[in-house]
Amino acid sequence: MLTFEPFRIWYDRQRNPETGKKKKKTELYGDCGFSSNTGAKIWNDDFPVLSDTIETICRVYGLRIDQVLEYRRLGKNEIPEPHHPKHRSHSEDIPRRSQ
């Protein structure tokens, strides 16, 4: 399972250079030019996310990919979270012919 947790931890420690206050999640949108939907995917680990999104985070903040994403193996008794229905593959939408 992929997670943006390393990035979220890093981002939570950042300060706005103008105010000295902790950066708000919404500042990510302006910094990287993301929509609120893309930001929500990052904060909620709602995959799939475009590789361009990951690349933009690395470039804008000067991070390595391992500072942005992490792969975690599921434990024996863990069940992967189901993908959101809107992320189904197109082949699932094609009716099958009966034989």
Side-chain angles (χ1 to χ4, degrees):
M1 167 176 107
L2 288 174
T3 179
F4 278 101
E5 187 174 11
F7 175 71
R8 290 191 300 264
I9 291 169
W10 176 86
Y11 193 86
D12 191 50
R13 295 177 180 156
Q14 302 311 300
R15 301 275 178 212
N16 181 313
E18 295 173 11
T19 64
K21 294 181 180 179
K22 201 167 148 177
K23 285 188 94 153
K24 297 177 183 177
K25 291 179 183 179
T26 54
E27 291 182 69
L28 169 72
Y29 312 154
D31 292 348
C32 296
F34 294 156
S35 70
S36 58
N37 288 341
T38 300
K41 285 183 165 196
I42 293 165
W43 302 125
N44 300 314
D45 284 338
D46 184 13
F47 289 89
V49 174
L50 294 174
S51 58
D52 291 351
T53 299
I54 299 163
E55 182 180 354
T56 298
I57 292 170
C58 291
R59 181 177 37 79
V60 168
Y61 296 117
L63 300 174
R64 298 181 318 271
I65 196 159
D66 63 322
Q67 294 174 295
V68 176
L69 282 175
E70 179 178 87
Y71 174 77
R72 293 187 182 156
R73 287 184 181 255
L74 292 176
K76 240 182 185 180
N77 298 326
E78 288 183 279
I79 299 171
E81 293 182 30
H83 290 285
H84 194 283
K86 73 177 183 181
H87 299 304
R88 294 180 303 161
S89 71
H90 294 291
S91 62
E92 293 175 21
D93 296 328
I94 300 170
R96 296 178 187 254
R97 292 190 296 181
S98 57
Q99 295 181 4

